[in-house]
């Protein structure tokens, strides 16, 4: 059995991106892409040079073909993806605007999807647990009772399990009752590494501020609280200097970015952070690599972007605080650096 650096389990969907701004009712055409929190993380990590497997279910349909082919093209192993002969692959449409604004629209067609039929019985749990890191998100828990049962099984604390990474990803629209916030809190308590936005912790749990969130989530070894443009705070009891009895933690400010579309940034941040974690980098650099991967996603229209080369990301992550604070990144910054590096190496 191949031991991957990371296994990411969860639903991916075919996404249709608008050709221009405006309401869904007014957009004349869409461009096809892929989108899914866990597969996004898998694709970014594979593009960054890690061995990654994506585990899911898709329909035995053309959209399922497209998802598997597109995710495989990023270098992700898809051999554990199962095809459902009855249930379809999920799809969704969205507008071009920032999802934080009232003008943003998303139309999901995922009810009864193939991925919603994932269970602890039809998933190869030994394969899923063979990785160094298992990455999950709260979105999967909302898809069905069977999916929730699968996540409860995978976040149960037992000897020999991989490092379990969990992105809360609170999506109120996916939950059919009021149990969602409590379920997400329980799942997060079973993980080793947890990512949560301060805004979603406020909306879901009524918690304000990183320390209040840490008080509610003392179990994970690592807790990352994201503040969007305000940066991210990391609590880690295993790294000297990141957490003490007074609750101090590591804060790294976000980069200044010329945003094209605010989608996929959270997944990219998680991928950058996990990549740095796998490499054993210190707390500050883990957060900086998260911000750099998020900046790559923010400067493209879709969910996925080509990440900066590892050498370039390492150079930026090593900047002193003043240089980091003045750094500003815009569209094409990862490609521009790649071309510059190639020119330097060319005689």
């Amino acid at each position: 059995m191949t031991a991957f650096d990371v296994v990411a389990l969860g639903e991916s969907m075919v996404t249709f991106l608008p050709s221009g701004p405006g309401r869904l009712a007014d957009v004349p055409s869409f461009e096809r892409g892929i989108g899914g929190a866990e597969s996004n993380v898998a694709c970014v990590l594979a593009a960054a040079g890690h061995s990654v497997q994506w585990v899911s279910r898709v329909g035995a349909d053309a959209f399922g073909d497209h998802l598997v082919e597109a995710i495989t093209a990023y270098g992700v192993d898809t051999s554990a993806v199962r095809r459902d002969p009855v249930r379809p692959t999920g799809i969704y449409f969205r507008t071009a605007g920032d999802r934080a604004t009232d003008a943003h629209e998303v139309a999901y067609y995922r009810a009864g999807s193939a991925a919603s039929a994932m269970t602890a019985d039809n998933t190869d749990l030994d394969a899923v647990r063979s990785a160094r890191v298992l990455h999950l998100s709260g979105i999967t828990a909302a898809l069905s009772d069977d999916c929730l049962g699968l996540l409860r099984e995978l976040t149960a604390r037992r000897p020999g399990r991989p490092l379990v990474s969990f992105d809360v990803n609170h999506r109120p629209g996916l939950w059919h009752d009021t149990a969602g916030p409590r379920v997400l809190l329980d799942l997060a308590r079973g993980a080793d590494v947890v990512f949560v936005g301060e805004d979603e912790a406020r909306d879901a749990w009524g918690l304000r501020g990183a320390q209040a969130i840490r008080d509610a989530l003392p179990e994970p070894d690592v807790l990352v609280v994201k503040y969007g443009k305000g940066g991210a705070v990391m609590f880690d009891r295993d790294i000297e200097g990141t957490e003490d009895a007074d609750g101090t933690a590591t804060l790294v400010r976000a980069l200044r970015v010329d945003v094209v579309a605010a989608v996929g940034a959270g997944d990219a941040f998680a991928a950058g952070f996990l990549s740095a974690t796998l490499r054993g980098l210190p707390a500050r650099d883990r957060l900086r690599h998260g911000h750099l991967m998020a900046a790559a996603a923010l400067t493209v229209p879709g969910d996925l972007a080509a990440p900066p080369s590892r050498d370039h990301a390492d150079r930026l992550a090593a900047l002193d605080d003043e240089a980091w604070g003045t750094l500003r990144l815009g569209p094409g910054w990862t490609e521009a650096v790649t071309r510059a590096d190639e020119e330097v190496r060319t005689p």
Side-chain angles (χ1 to χ4, degrees), residues 182-253:
R182 177 184 54 78
V183 169
L184 293 174
L185 190 63
D186 288 345
L187 292 173
R189 285 173 170 157
D192 301 302
V193 179
V194 172
F195 302 94
V196 63
E198 197 274 344
D199 56 345
E200 63 181 341
R202 183 174 61 251
D203 293 342
W205 305 321
L207 300 173
R208 295 180 180 274
Q211 188 57 54
I213 299 169
R214 183 51 159 171
D215 291 342
L217 281 170
E219 297 89 352
D221 289 332
V222 177
L223 171 66
V224 178
V225 180
K226 299 174 293 182
Y227 283 86
K229 294 179 180 179
V233 174
M234 172 184 174
F235 296 92
D236 187 338
R237 64 172 62 94
D238 293 331
I239 297 181
E240 183 179 357
T242 62
E243 186 169 6
D244 60 23
D246 296 325
T248 59
T250 301
L251 166 66
V252 171
R253 299 292 181 185

Side-chain angles (χ1 to χ4, degrees), residues 154-319:
L154 293 175
T155 56
R157 295 189 179 274
R158 52 171 49 92
R161 77 173 193 178
L163 185 79
V164 175
S165 166
F166 182 74
D167 194 335
V168 171
N169 267 328
H170 179 231
R171 300 287 188 268
L174 292 180
W175 293 93
H176 301 298
D177 54 38
T178 60
R182 177 184 54 78
V183 169
L184 293 174
L185 190 63
D186 288 345
L187 292 173
R189 285 173 170 157
D192 301 302
V193 179
V194 172
F195 302 94
V196 63
E198 197 274 344
D199 56 345
E200 63 181 341
R202 183 174 61 251
D203 293 342
W205 305 321
L207 300 173
R208 295 180 180 274
Q211 188 57 54
I213 299 169
R214 183 51 159 171
D215 291 342
L217 281 170
E219 297 89 352
D221 289 332
V222 177
L223 171 66
V224 178
V225 180
K226 299 174 293 182
Y227 283 86
K229 294 179 180 179
V233 174
M234 172 184 174
F235 296 92
D236 187 338
R237 64 172 62 94
D238 293 331
I239 297 181
E240 183 179 357
T242 62
E243 186 169 6
D244 60 23
D246 296 325
T248 59
T250 301
L251 166 66
V252 171
R253 299 292 181 185
L255 294 160
R256 294 188 298 166
V257 178
D258 297 329
V259 176
V260 173
V263 293
D267 303 329
F269 180 96
F273 185 93
L274 291 175
S275 175
T277 298
L278 286 163
R279 296 169 60 200
L281 299 184
R284 185 203 70 172
D285 290 2
R286 296 184 194 188
L287 292 171
R288 285 190 171 188
H289 277 274
H291 287 313
L292 288 164
M293 291 297 191
L298 288 168
T299 51
V300 298
D303 285 35
L304 289 165
S309 69
R310 180 173 292 185
D311 287 345
H312 182 233
D314 283 344
R315 289 197 299 271
L316 293 180
L319 292 172

Side-chain angles (χ1 to χ4, degrees), residues 40-53 71 74-77 271 307:
N40 286 348
V41 171
C43 290
V44 175
L45 280 166
H50 296 280
S51 61
V52 188
Q53 184 177 58
I71 293 171
Y74 277 88
V76 176
D77 184 284

